């Protein structure tokens, strides 16, 4: 049994396809129209994706999850499960859950989620800490500057933060990060938009974060601070 991580599927959410440029799921006609409007600087709010494109996204994400996550594996999804207005929301959320073969899905609430879908999951959380094969992970839908035990993080004993919500913004535009020492921040966006619409394994998480963990250790040594993101020195207390 293996544990996987993901965030922000946004099933049935046409707008996310536009604003996150999920071109791979658009029909050829939708993609051509979208790219033409984008190239001319048109108002994307006027563009509406076809039901076929949205269905392609829903089924494509489900297929990608099922290709890696088996019935006996565990999946953590860090929010924004599905979209829908009125009674469609619950129907859409249940439909997407029914497409997945994984029996154990844990969920962290995102800003698009309603608690009436809680029964779809093995457990639900606003924030939680887990251990995966000895690695400490703090899970939240939103990116956090610092978290419990972050200052103890090393390459050999990682203590990392997984999040979603920003749809790979910092991967696409590192300069947009508000963090002064972003390269040493041992946190990772595990959303679908930053990983070719795939879930993340622990090995992939650690591979992606190894440079940041190395930089974090170097930053602590160079700065003389045991917790650089809180500005705490060697005798900074808790």
């Amino acid at each position: 049994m293996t544990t996987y991580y993901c965030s922000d599927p946004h099933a049935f959410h046409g707008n996310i396809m536009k604003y996150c440029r999920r071109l791979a799921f658009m029909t050829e006609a939708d993609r051509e129209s979208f790219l033409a409007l984008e190239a001319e600087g048109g108002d994307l709010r006027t563009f509406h994706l076809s039901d076929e494109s949205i269905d392609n996204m829903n089924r494509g994400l489900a297929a990608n999850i099922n290709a890696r996550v088996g019935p006996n594996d565990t999946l953590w999804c860090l929010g924004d499960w599905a979209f829908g207005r009125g009674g469609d929301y619950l129907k859409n959320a249940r439909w997407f859950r029914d497409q997945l073969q994984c029996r154990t899905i844990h969920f962290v609430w995102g800003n698009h989620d309603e608690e009436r879908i809680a029964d779809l999951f093995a457990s639900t959380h606003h924030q939680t800490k887990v251990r995966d094969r000895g690695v400490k992970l703090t899970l939240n839908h939103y990116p956090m500057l610092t978290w419990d035990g972050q200052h103890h993080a090393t390459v050999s004993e990682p203590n990392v933060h997984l999040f979603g919500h920003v749809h790979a913004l910092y991967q696409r535009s590192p300069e947009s990060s508000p963090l002064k020492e972003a390269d040493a921040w041992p946190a990772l966006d595990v959303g679908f938009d930053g990983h070719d619409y795939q879930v993340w394994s622990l090995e992939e998480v650690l591979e992606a974060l190894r440079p940041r963990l190395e930089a974090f250790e170097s930053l602590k040594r160079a700065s003389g601070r045991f917790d650089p993101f809180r500005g705490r020195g060697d005798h900074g207390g808790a």
Side-chain angles (χ1 to χ4, degrees):
M1 294 184 289
T2 304
T3 299
Y4 295 90
Y5 305 89
C6 69
S7 188
D8 299 275
H10 283 256
F12 292 90
H13 196 177
N15 278 342
I16 213 67
M17 294 188 72
K18 293 190 296 186
Y19 297 118
C20 290
R21 304 183 84 251
R22 293 184 173 182
L23 303 178
F25 300 121
M26 293 183 189
T27 65
E28 184 176 354
D30 279 353
R31 185 164 53 249
E32 288 179 358
S33 297
F34 172 80
L35 292 174
L37 181 63
E38 189 180 55
E40 67 186 28
D43 186 353
L44 292 181
R45 291 174 297 179
T46 67
F47 181 76
H48 299 285
L49 285 148
S50 66
D51 290 343
E52 184 179 356
S53 286
I54 294 172
D55 187 59
N56 287 345
M57 177 182 71
N58 298 337
R59 294 183 186 278
L61 289 174
N64 286 354
I65 294 170
N66 288 334
R68 299 193 68 190
V69 187
N72 295 322
D73 293 327
T74 296
L75 178 66
W76 278 91
C77 181
L78 307 189
D80 287 0
W81 182 257
F83 188 80
R85 300 189 183 280
D88 285 342
Y89 172 72
L90 185 58
K91 180 182 69 175
N92 292 347
R94 289 192 181 280
W95 181 91
F96 190 63
R97 176 64 183 92
D98 287 344
Q99 307 312 302
L100 306 181
Q101 62 184 342
C102 179
R103 288 191 286 265
T104 305
I105 302 179
H106 300 285
F107 193 69
V108 176
W109 296 108
N111 56 300
H112 281 287
D113 303 309
E114 298 179 21
E115 295 194 359
R116 55 185 169 141
I117 66 170
D119 67 310
L120 301 182
F121 309 107
S123 69
T124 61
H125 312 261
H126 290 284
Q127 177 177 304
T128 191
K129 295 183 290 183
V130 300
R131 282 180 180 261
D132 187 348
R133 285 172 277 170
V135 176
K136 297 178 182 178
L137 305 105
T138 295
L139 312 179
N140 195 314
H141 178 64
Y142 306 98
M144 301 188 299
L145 174 65
T146 187
W147 51 93
D148 183 28
Q150 178 204 45
H151 56 285
H152 294 305
T154 64
V155 173
S156 59
E157 296 186 30
N159 184 320
V160 302
H161 166 40
L162 305 184
F163 62 92
H165 187 61
V166 297
H167 294 272
L169 173 64
Y170 303 147
Q171 284 99 311
R172 296 193 308 270
S173 305
E175 69 280 358
S176 67
S177 174
L179 299 185
K180 182 180 178 181
E181 304 286 354
D183 290 343
W185 181 51
L188 183 67
D189 177 4
V190 293
F192 283 105
D193 292 294
H195 195 49
D196 197 26
Y197 311 114
Q198 302 289 334
V199 298
W200 291 77
S201 67
L202 180 65
E203 289 78 12
E204 290 169 323
V205 167
L206 295 179
E207 180 181 2
L209 287 180
R210 184 180 180 88
R212 292 189 183 186
L213 287 164
E214 292 172 342
F216 184 63
E217 290 189 65
S218 296
L219 178 62
K220 288 197 291 184
R221 289 192 298 269
S223 66
R225 292 174 289 160
F226 81 99
D227 192 346
F229 287 97
R230 287 194 298 162
R232 306 299 288 267
D234 287 338
H235 303 287

